[in-house]
Amino acid sequence: MAAAQTLTARQGDKLDQLLWRESGLGPRDLTRVLDANPGLADLGVILPLGTRVLVPAAPEATGTPVLPLVQLWS
């Protein structure tokens, strides 16, 4: 399991951009990060310069896919 980390917003950063650039995290991680940072969503779309964002440790992978594989042709 990866350890928790703290990221710092640069000028003009949006949360998803910050998470992707610094940690390689995507949209599925936004809820987890917002839950760990009360009031972060109230700051607006563009984070103020220097905003510190706690990224909690990711939960252990269970080995089962999140979505089932769908094939159009079989």
Side-chain angles (χ1 to χ4, degrees), residues 15-16 19 27-44 47 53-56:
L15 181 58
D16 59 342
L19 293 175
R28 69 172 37 162
D29 300 295
L30 285 173
T31 301
R32 180 170 53 94
V33 172
L34 287 169
D35 288 345
N37 295 275
L40 186 62
D42 297 332
L43 297 177
L47 298 172
V53 177
L54 173 67
V55 179

Side-chain angles (χ1 to χ4, degrees), residues 7-67:
L7 308 178
T8 304
R10 297 180 190 168
Q11 186 170 353
D13 271 351
K14 297 178 183 176
L15 181 58
D16 59 342
Q17 177 186 21
L18 175 66
L19 293 175
W20 173 252
R21 182 183 67 235
E22 301 294 331
S23 300
L25 300 175
R28 69 172 37 162
D29 300 295
L30 285 173
T31 301
R32 180 170 53 94
V33 172
L34 287 169
D35 288 345
N37 295 275
L40 186 62
D42 297 332
L43 297 177
V45 175
I46 298 179
L47 298 172
L49 177 66
T51 300
R52 298 177 64 73
V53 177
L54 173 67
V55 179
E60 296 272 340
T62 60
T64 58
V66 175
L67 297 174

